[in-house]
Amino acid sequence: MPEILSGKLPPADYSQCPFWFWNDNLDEVEIRRQMAGFQAHGVEAFVIHPRIGLPNSIDWLSPELFRFMRIAVEEARRLGMWVVLYDEGMYPSGSSAGQVVATNSAFHARCLSCSTHELSAEEIGAKTLGGKDKESAMDKDIRLLARVTRANGEPLWIYDRKVDSVVRGLHYMSDETHPWPAEEEPPAADLLNPEAVLCLRRLVYDRFYAELGDHFGTTIKAIFTDEPHPLGRCREQKVMPGTSDILTHVQRILGYDFTPHLPALWFDDEPNAEEYRRQYNEAIAVRMGETYYEPLSEWCARHGIALTGHPAEPTDLGHLKYLHIPGQDIVWRHVEPHKPSALEGPPSTMAKAAASSAFHRGRARNMNEFAGAFGHELTFTELKWLASWLLIRGCDLLMPHAFYYSVRGIRRDERPPDVGPNSAWWDDYRPWADATRRLCHINATHAPVCEVAILGRSTELPWEAARTLLQHQIDFHYIEPEDLMSLTESLSGSGEKKAGWNEAERRLHIGPGRYTTVIEEKNFDHPAMDCFSMDLSLENPDSNAPTPGIPWSDTGWSRVQKRVRPVVTLDSPAPDLRARYVVSKGSSYINETSASPVRPTHVVMLFNEGPDSLTRRITLPPEFYSASTHAVHQLDIYTGESTLWTGERPLTLEPHGWAVFVC
């Protein structure tokens, strides 16, 4: 009997792990009381998130803050719970609540700005951080980077300087009875400067280890880094991310001198402005990976702990490779039930981005923060829909945003709502928490069976093809040119063969992925694509070779339909039905070796994403009907009980309903 049909609740590893806002006067008894309440409601983990509203007596990384953190961590160990640490005093990550800049003023975040004339000494002196009423901090830290000529012949002066940028702080700076009290705003750090990031690592990560390292890898499973951005929370307009030596690195990354194209960063009427802007941003992303993500990832690996969190943008696929638990974030109602945003636009790609990165790189888990700043009008129905939206796309670690330590006074309205103990649905939370635990367990312990990949970029993911595939119950993963570059290297005879075309299987291998079809929604001018097309003879539409380069049109969709089998076949279309097919990891089906003694468990997961009930006669994958399989069971995700499924009657799914079939 497969474990998922045993009726037992999966281990605590698969529990939800909500953000826990520490946002008021902390008390040991109250911390223990709330943790017991979490566990009683099926929540076995949490992110300790120091948050605006802490008293002035508790500073970021102060002995008092660590005293309460140790209380929570040791209580979690006693209860069998687990913990994720958060690496910033609010957000975005990277500045240690201003301590990085306090250590060295040269570590302040920087930018590139442009002027249509050369700045005078008086103008340079006026460019202060925070406006004319604040002390100038920039008059000796601005330099002319380049003088360039626009396409229309006009000169342009490009300056490298500090930028007026901050992070949110932990303390209110005015009377808390005011509807919108002023907040601390510490200066943002230069995340493109490796020395600044090493300073961050010493201040935060080394301190975490010194104070709590005896719990690393056991009770403390990960450190969360939150939407780091080279411009921080920027209070200026018309500035570009940069640092003092950025053009040297842009040239190294792009392979050419970008200086003549700098005007394209500000002016849309420059030749190929959009393309040059994209290339500059991709180069910035690469440098950010080198200076920020990679050092933190290496530190965590050396200290036996996972780096998790999420980048600043929902389509940022490239930076996910540095995260041991790749993640993303649904925030500000960027994705909502029964609205186009569920299938259209950049945020609609985020769940698949995290799941794809984890799958191709062999990560054990992938996560999503969700429901932050959805407002007090958020309902339990919407919250459950958001989690289901993530789970059916492959997420296996849910991080609800957030459980509030306190909703006293103004705290209730700081990025609401509380989705945990102070919510209207808390008494009904346990059955849902158990259901998500079962679904996370299935996703984490089973590998997806899918033969379609959609080609995106490290900073840009298409969604039109994804929408059509999801509406037709066809699963897919995102890949980026870097995934294909390993193919280029293997075909050129250099390095270990990490990806390539397997002639015997007639499939493209990328990590554990096995693809017959790769969709290129937009044209890619990349060496990897040249190698793909040239060496794999993809021009023949009738070929059995994979099909990268399919233009996403009616013709392209027709070709995909001829080549790809949906997860389930239906007696009539159901555009709101999402489908996922997974097989137990380590089974012979996944390893493709008859020597494996592990018998595979096949699971089909169906979710009705729409507002209306649907009834369809379904046909499961052929593997469910082979003579070697056992009977098909339908799993109740809320109770863990299962019943035999014969398929004699149509399947009915209520709005937001699940059906899970196991054989």
Side-chain angles (χ1 to χ4, degrees), residues 6 29 46 54 72 77 100 116-117 130-131 151 186 196 220 262 276 318 398 409 414 473-474 488 517-518 527 659:
S6 68
V29 173
F46 50 86
L54 277 174
R77 180 187 59 79
V100 173
T116 55
H117 65 277
I220 299 175
L262 284 168
Y276 283 119
L398 294 172
E414 198 271 306
Q473 296 77 54
I474 296 175
T488 303
T517 302
V518 180

Side-chain angles (χ1 to χ4, degrees), residues 35-57:
M35 289 175 61
F38 295 171
Q39 192 169 52
H41 288 77
V43 177
E44 304 275 3
F46 50 86
V47 181
I48 298 177
H49 190 1
R51 194 77 181 186
I52 187 75
L54 277 174
N56 290 328
S57 60

Side-chain angles (χ1 to χ4, degrees), residues 390-451:
L390 293 166
L391 290 161
I392 199 65
R393 287 160 172 80
C395 180
D396 57 41
L397 175 54
L398 294 172
M399 290 188 165
H401 184 293
F403 288 15
Y404 287 32
Y405 178 88
S406 170
V407 290
R408 180 174 66 89
I410 55 178
R411 289 161 181 80
R412 177 180 181 272
D413 298 315
E414 198 271 306
R415 299 294 188 266
D418 180 319
V419 299
N422 300 292
S423 66
W425 52 76
W426 187 233
D427 289 344
D428 301 319
Y429 205 90
R430 181 64 194 248
W432 178 61
D434 289 351
T436 61
R437 190 156 156 181
R438 292 186 177 95
L439 292 170
C440 283
H441 176 247
I442 292 173
N443 277 343
T445 58
H446 292 67
V449 179
C450 82
E451 54 182 304

Side-chain angles (χ1 to χ4, degrees), residues 236-452:
E236 296 190 61
Q237 296 181 341
K238 298 182 179 180
V239 294
M240 298 297 162
T243 190
S244 293
D245 60 349
I246 193 60
L247 286 187
T248 301
H249 295 287
V250 169
Q251 178 170 337
R252 169 179 59 85
I253 293 163
L254 297 181
Y256 66 90
D257 182 9
F258 192 81
T259 306
H261 308 293
L262 284 168
L265 300 182
W266 287 273
F267 298 96
D268 293 336
D269 58 352
E270 289 292 308
N272 300 314
E274 183 178 356
E275 176 60 18
Y276 283 119
R277 200 171 300 159
R278 182 191 65 76
Q279 291 187 25
Y280 182 82
N281 288 332
E282 285 195 353
I284 292 293
V286 170
R287 185 58 179 161
M288 179 90 163
E290 296 170 344
T291 59
Y292 185 85
Y293 285 100
E294 188 171 8
L296 299 186
S297 181
E298 290 176 348
W299 187 97
C300 287
R302 288 199 311 272
H303 290 79
I305 198 169
L307 180 66
T308 190
H310 63 82
E313 300 299 332
T315 56
D316 189 341
L317 182 62
H319 286 154
L320 297 182
K321 65 175 174 285
Y322 297 106
L323 301 177
H324 305 115
I325 306 175
Q328 270 295 354
D329 177 23
I330 303 178
V331 68
W332 292 111
R333 290 193 170 269
H334 289 163
V335 172
E336 293 187 273
H338 320 142
K339 293 187 178 180
S341 60
L343 290 170
E344 300 176 5
S348 72
T349 68
M350 65 176 66
K352 269 298 179 187
S356 299
S357 182
F359 176 63
H360 290 134
R361 290 172 175 81
R363 305 301 196 196
R365 306 293 294 274
N366 76 94
M367 76 85 188
N368 251 92
E369 176 186 344
F370 68 104
F374 267 61
H376 289 302
E377 63 272 24
L378 181 77
T379 66
F380 197 26
T381 297
E382 286 182 301
L383 183 68
K384 291 190 287 185
W385 181 94
L386 287 169
S388 295
W389 186 92
L390 293 166
L391 290 161
I392 199 65
R393 287 160 172 80
C395 180
D396 57 41
L397 175 54
L398 294 172
M399 290 188 165
H401 184 293
F403 288 15
Y404 287 32
Y405 178 88
S406 170
V407 290
R408 180 174 66 89
I410 55 178
R411 289 161 181 80
R412 177 180 181 272
D413 298 315
E414 198 271 306
R415 299 294 188 266
D418 180 319
V419 299
N422 300 292
S423 66
W425 52 76
W426 187 233
D427 289 344
D428 301 319
Y429 205 90
R430 181 64 194 248
W432 178 61
D434 289 351
T436 61
R437 190 156 156 181
R438 292 186 177 95
L439 292 170
C440 283
H441 176 247
I442 292 173
N443 277 343
T445 58
H446 292 67
V449 179
C450 82
E451 54 182 304
V452 180

Side-chain angles (χ1 to χ4, degrees), residues 331-602:
V331 68
W332 292 111
R333 290 193 170 269
H334 289 163
V335 172
E336 293 187 273
H338 320 142
K339 293 187 178 180
S341 60
L343 290 170
E344 300 176 5
S348 72
T349 68
M350 65 176 66
K352 269 298 179 187
S356 299
S357 182
F359 176 63
H360 290 134
R361 290 172 175 81
R363 305 301 196 196
R365 306 293 294 274
N366 76 94
M367 76 85 188
N368 251 92
E369 176 186 344
F370 68 104
F374 267 61
H376 289 302
E377 63 272 24
L378 181 77
T379 66
F380 197 26
T381 297
E382 286 182 301
L383 183 68
K384 291 190 287 185
W385 181 94
L386 287 169
S388 295
W389 186 92
L390 293 166
L391 290 161
I392 199 65
R393 287 160 172 80
C395 180
D396 57 41
L397 175 54
L398 294 172
M399 290 188 165
H401 184 293
F403 288 15
Y404 287 32
Y405 178 88
S406 170
V407 290
R408 180 174 66 89
I410 55 178
R411 289 161 181 80
R412 177 180 181 272
D413 298 315
E414 198 271 306
R415 299 294 188 266
D418 180 319
V419 299
N422 300 292
S423 66
W425 52 76
W426 187 233
D427 289 344
D428 301 319
Y429 205 90
R430 181 64 194 248
W432 178 61
D434 289 351
T436 61
R437 190 156 156 181
R438 292 186 177 95
L439 292 170
C440 283
H441 176 247
I442 292 173
N443 277 343
T445 58
H446 292 67
V449 179
C450 82
E451 54 182 304
V452 180
I454 298 177
L455 185 62
R457 300 184 189 277
S458 62
T459 58
E460 178 185 352
L461 295 177
W463 53 263
E464 291 185 8
R467 175 186 58 191
T468 302
L469 295 175
L470 289 167
Q471 290 176 324
H472 289 82
Q473 296 77 54
I474 296 175
D475 203 2
F476 67 92
H477 287 125
Y478 282 114
I479 60 174
E480 59 169 312
E482 182 176 304
D483 297 320
L484 300 181
M485 284 304 293
S486 59
L487 168 64
T488 303
E489 293 167 4
S490 67
L491 291 176
S492 65
S494 62
E496 180 184 355
K497 186 172 183 178
K498 300 177 182 178
W501 170 245
N502 186 297
E503 183 63 29
E505 298 175 21
R506 310 297 292 169
R507 290 173 184 261
L508 171 70
H509 288 200
I510 297 180
R514 304 292 182 262
Y515 302 109
T516 64
T517 302
V518 180
I519 296 169
E520 181 189 3
E521 192 170 306
K522 298 182 179 180
N523 292 328
F524 278 73
D525 182 14
H526 194 282
M529 291 304 297
D530 294 339
C531 175
F532 227 5
S533 299
M534 178 178 62
D535 290 310
L536 301 181
S537 302
L538 302 175
E539 290 77 8
N540 180 2
D542 298 322
S543 168
N544 287 327
T547 56
I550 288 183
W552 195 245
S553 61
D554 291 342
T555 302
W557 170 230
S558 176
R559 290 172 65 187
V560 171
Q561 286 181 298
K562 291 178 181 178
R563 302 170 62 89
V564 178
R565 184 185 75 195
V567 171
V568 293
T569 55
L570 311 173
D571 57 353
S572 63
D576 287 333
L577 182 65
R578 307 289 170 259
R580 179 170 169 79
Y581 177 19
V582 296
V583 178
S584 51
K585 291 180 178 178
S587 71
S588 59
Y589 187 87
I590 293 298
N591 290 339
E592 298 176 0
T593 167
S594 58
S596 173
V598 182
R599 189 183 182 104
T601 300
H602 300 254

Side-chain angles (χ1 to χ4, degrees), residues 21 424 570 606 628:
F21 283 6
L570 311 173
L606 302 176
S628 63

